[in-house]
């Protein structure tokens, strides 16, 4: 193999990004999810127990976040379990949003 063939093969293998870069992106997304989830729980507890509010607005935001994540995973993997999960989270978001508007 000459230099050009090796470079062409390397470009073909790495057309979707370097494996290390994909791993970094995946782990970063997981850490971001955990951090956001922790912040959500703290905010919800403060909203409910300190301020005496329902916290429906925060539940709507988190449900939309999980629905978006499920849709994205479905589009990338094609696995229908992610589509089902996204549909459930969308339904959840709608229900909580209606409760937020109704009960505030």
């Amino acid at each position: 193999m000459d230099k050009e063939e090796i470079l062409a093969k390397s470009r073909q293998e790495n057309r979707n990004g370097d494996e290390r870069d994909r791993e970094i992106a995946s782990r970063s997304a997981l850490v971001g999810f955990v951090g956001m989830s922790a912040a959500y729980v703290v905010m919800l507890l403060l909203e409910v127990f300190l301020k005496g509010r329902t916290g429906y607005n925060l539940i709507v935001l988190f449900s939309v976040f999980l629905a978006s994540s499920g849709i994205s995973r479905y589009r990338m993997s094609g696995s229908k379990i992610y589509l089902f999960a996204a549909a459930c989270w969308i339904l959840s978001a709608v229900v909580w949003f209606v409760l937020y508007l109704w009960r505030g």
Side-chain angles (χ1 to χ4, degrees), residues 1 5-6 12 15-16 19 26-27 32 34 36 41-42 44 50 55 57 59 63 72 78 85 88 93 96-97 101 103:
M1 268 191 191
E5 288 177 28
I6 294 170
Q12 180 67 22
R15 68 175 179 255
N16 293 328
E19 184 177 338
S26 177
R27 287 185 184 209
V34 170
M36 204 208 78
V41 169
V42 169
L44 184 63
L50 256 73
N57 55 342
I59 298 171
S63 296
S72 176
C88 291
W96 287 110
F97 186 69
L101 291 177
R103 300 244 173 169

Side-chain angles (χ1 to χ4, degrees), residues 27-97:
R27 287 185 184 209
S28 297
L30 178 62
V31 170
F33 174 77
V34 170
M36 204 208 78
S37 297
Y40 163 76
V41 169
V42 169
M43 297 280 297
L44 184 63
L45 292 174
L46 290 173
E47 187 81 4
V48 171
F49 293 113
L50 256 73
K51 295 186 176 184
R53 298 181 187 154
T54 61
Y56 294 156
N57 55 342
L58 295 173
I59 298 171
V60 169
L61 291 175
F62 200 65
S63 296
V64 169
F65 168 73
L66 292 173
S68 301
S69 177
I71 291 168
S72 176
R73 284 181 170 210
Y74 168 71
R75 291 183 67 203
M76 286 188 235
S77 72
S79 176
K80 295 201 186 227
I81 190 72
Y82 294 124
L83 183 61
F84 176 74
C88 291
W89 283 115
I90 290 169
L91 178 62
S92 170
V94 169
V95 168
W96 287 110
F97 186 69

